[in-house]
Amino acid sequence: MSMPVQLRILALTATPGCKLQLSSHCVLKLSCNLNAYIGCHYSAKQPAIQQIIDNLYISTLEYRNEHDHDVSPYIHNRKIELIEVPLGQDASDVNNKLLEIIRPYVAKLHANGLIQNRDYQTLSPVDLLSSRDKFRQAPPLDLPHVKHGEVEAYFAVLITLYHIRKLLSSHGIRPAYEMLEEKLRQGPFSRLMSKNEDLMNAKLLMQRSLSHGAPSPKLSKLLEVLINHFQTRDPQNSRVIIFSNFRGSVRDIMNALESIRDLVKATEFIGQSSGKALKGQSQKVQQAVLEKFRAGGYNVIVATSIGEEGLDIMEVDLVICFDANVSPLRMIQRMGRTGRKHDGRSASSVMLFFLPNLSEFDDPWGGFPHVGPSATREGKFLACQGSELKGYMRKQASSRSINKHMRNGGMNSFSFHSSPRMIPHIFKPEVQFVELSIEQFVPRGKKLKDDHVMETPPFREKLTLAETDLIAKYFHPTSESTWRPSLIAFPSVQAFPSKVCKVMHSCRTEMLIDSMQHLHGLTFPGGNGNFFVEDEVSSADHSVAGIVEQHDSPTKDFPALDNSQAANSQLGLTNSAESPLRTSRMKEKHGRDSGCGSPQAHSFVFDSDFVSVDACGKVLILSVPSLYWEDVMHSKHASKITNELLNSLKQEARSVKTLDEIMQTEAVQNITVCQKKSIELDTLSTPRFCETDFEKERMLNEVEKIPETPDGTCEMADEANIDLRDTELSPRLTNLIKSGVVPESPIADSGLLKQERRNESFIPDQASSPKLCTELILRSSSPVESDRGNLENSSHGRKVSIMKDEMIPKMNPVSSTRCSPISPLVVEVKSPLANLTNSCGSKSWHLSSGEKAETVEPVQVFKRLRKVGNCGKDRSSKIMKKSSLVSLANRAKSLSGANPIQTKSGRGKKKPGNGVRTFIDEEAEVSTEAEVSTEETDDESDSYDDSFIDDRINPTAGSTQIESGRVDMMAVYRLLTFSF
Amino acid sequence: MDDNEAPTFEPDLIRAIFKHIWIKKAQERERNGFPNTEAGDSEVGAGTSKKNRPTSANTNALKLSCELLRIFITEAIQRAGTIAEAEGSTMIEPTHLERILPQLLLDF
């Protein structure tokens, strides 16, 4: 070409087709690994290609074969091996027989000029077919019309016979025999040939040969090739495709492969159409076969022509063409199945040809230089020289002749069209090298469901940021574990019916509540009701002691409230007008406290309970401080467990405040001060000291309880209020004694000394101290406190002395400032006390019995619990106890009920002891602060002392006791839950 | 109580939730179905065709379910709300729910 012309590549085709199948073979092949070789072999005839050129107005034709320099780098070398297989004596005999049969017919046709004069041995069915077509289109004029049918019959017979012969030569005796059988069964062939002796002989020969069981030589050779192949290659990674033109031979091959099943996992791969003998494979089966073949489930497939095109299986490194006498196009495609990944050394095509034992061809390689042993492709065709190899060679020759035409772009052979440029001249196509790579082959599978498409649900848009945060807090979109509400988080709460809105509690709920109460040891004694009626306060105490939520329950709440209220009212009556002021103050304080406490309560899971209780308890102002105490207790417990020191500190601070309040409420502010001091002392002392203090305090509490009973009796007997007072004071004193008892431990000595000094001053003031001593003795004698009793007994003497000593310190502050208030207090106390004492008395009795019933262990446990970190609580509780002994008894009862639980909790608490100590230290600091506050409160209390304080003490004590009892229970529950 | 006027759940929503659960359960049953042949047999006896058919609820049942759920939810909120109020907080926290949950569940 003189000037370069822009070309438009229309198509790339591997096999531009033979005569009739142009379009179907114009395959655009752009295989990724470029192993498609372009137009290497053409079987197309010159006119066919010219036809394409004309139809498509092709202006240029580029031709490359695998030897061209711009193609060869992309072509994997392939070893083509021709293996000649001797046909075998039987087969050649049969062949001869068939030829004998054929010869007369050919001669007859030849005589009529219908067949070219050729060697009848070389004729093929195709030749006969074309001849017959020619005959049909233009029958020879000299042939009479009547003879036409005869000629047709001859043609039919010859075609069949040649076909059989072809089968025989390419596939062996069995397919040939089967075809012969089939043809003889019906149709014109059987009519004509059933009496032919030669044919019968040939058939007999074939039958005999088959009955021998001797395998077809091609099959045995095939097995040999396969075994060789799989010996050198890994059977797992290597794949082999065996092509055969007929399904019959496919089946034979499959049968033959059965013998080497351990090495070869073979399956057939055939078309869909179902014939008479063999059923076709549906597309589904075909896909499954290929899938398994790819995956390695099979390493050999035996395919008909269906497998010749389009299979892209990288691992195939051997293709065996069981019959090679097919069109070169198909041979090219067959061989294209291999060498797709590996280099040529590993890929090979083997063609099996029958080698005729009759030397019909002098030079089988004649005219086919590239196929010969010296060929570049190392052709090692073991081909049968018979009709099969002959046909193959002929087809190769024709393709080569086409090649010649195609050289130089076919300029010489074809006439091209000067097509105008189709792309507008504005556009100048540039050459770009773009690598099109497929990172990962994704087989087209089932449609993926779109479940994974997570759209943000529309409701999200309506939520505020805080709300979404809240949702995210409990429902993580990513993590599987979403928050689930716990059903066992608040077992104590479940002991009481919760408030309902519209839906009332069911019987099952009531059963749950009952059982929970049982579990918590909250069952009320049989005489409970009686007590309730008689002593409202006591019942209230009872209820409060165990039941936190009874406040919520309307039935129980009201009596309790009534009691307390009644007490309040009584107090109020007795009290001067100052009482409301106090209450208001208390409320205020309470409000503050609650405000302070609520956040902390939030911090603890369980605190909220108490908070709620507070809310419920708001009705009773008196109860408020106690509630705080409870809170404090709770928080302390929790803190101990969680080691949250800070919280505890805060709470302690509160507790101090509450203490202050209590102080205020109590007329005996002095005493409280003293107590505080003692507490301070305790706190100052080592944690051990505190613990011992607590134990002692408990002891004292118990002791106090007992004294109360006498108090009650005294009151009942209208004994002097002073006595009561004394008794009241005495518990305080006992508390002091506790602190005094502490001194027994060497550490506390310093504190003791101080206390003793104070006590000395106190003792003279109170003549009741001996009573206390007696009471103490009584306590010690009581079976309930066996352990302690012993301790007390042993330490009685000391205690008494200590008592005295302790009395003194109390008196120092008290006497100095408030000796006078005490007396008025006593007076005032009388009336309320009478009421209270009645109730208290009953309670105390009740309690005392309960205490007796109680085992020693619970008490100890309790001590432990308190030891852990309740120093502040204990102190507060001490105060409470002093004021009201009954509460202690209640506590003890509740404790006794929860004995096992307590023991558990006790164990749990022991561990955190270290933390507790630190707590205590901190508490000590707080307490110092508290002192200041107490002083302030003292001032206030001073003013109130006259009418008020005493009255209050009792009710507050009751309420506080109750609440403190609750607190203990709650603590126990918490411990339980934690231990869970 | 004007239940008709009170805002309630969309039946479609409830149906969707139910279906979700049913499908889940069915899958679980299929997974565990082989060991317990009794249940499997009974189901098969009911008809293999039925097995594939998804569970459904008729309109009235859905309405009833909506109402039940509405009452349940409102009651839960009310109860938890009282707890929260008693605690002094303005927001119902999970702990509030946990406190009333056991009894609530038993009440329904």
Side-chain angles (χ1 to χ4, degrees), chain A residues 474 483 486 494 496 498-503 505-506 508-509 602 608-609 611 615, chain B residues 1 71 75 78-79 86-87 89 93-95 98-99 101-103 105-108:
Chain A
Y474 295 105
W483 176 81
S486 166
Q494 303 314 322
F496 313 103
S498 63
K499 275 183 180 169
V500 296
C501 175
K502 290 175 194 169
V503 181
H505 284 304
S506 66
R508 285 174 298 176
T509 305
H602 280 291
S608 57
D609 293 350
V611 175
Chain B
M1 297 299 135
I71 293 172
E75 183 69 18
Q78 291 284 356
R79 288 190 188 183
E87 204 174 281
S89 90
E93 298 278 350
T95 55
E98 279 177 341
R99 234 168 293 158
L101 192 57
Q103 296 184 12
L105 290 180
L106 284 176
D107 287 341
F108 278 88

Side-chain angles (χ1 to χ4, degrees), chain A residues 5-59:
Chain A
V5 181
Q6 286 91 350
L7 297 177
R8 195 157 43 93
I9 293 179
L10 179 73
L12 296 173
T13 174
T15 51
C18 48
K19 206 166 28 180
L20 300 175
Q21 300 170 318
L22 292 176
S23 58
S24 67
H25 287 287
C26 285
V27 181
L28 179 69
K29 278 198 134 179
L30 278 174
S31 183
C32 297
N33 52 3
L34 289 175
N35 69 344
Y37 49 104
I38 305 157
C40 290
H41 295 282
Y42 286 132
S43 68
K45 303 214 164 126
Q46 192 179 344
I49 293 168
Q50 184 61 56
Q51 213 177 349
I52 296 172
I53 290 169
D54 291 343
N55 287 338
L56 297 176
Y57 290 94
I58 287 169
S59 57

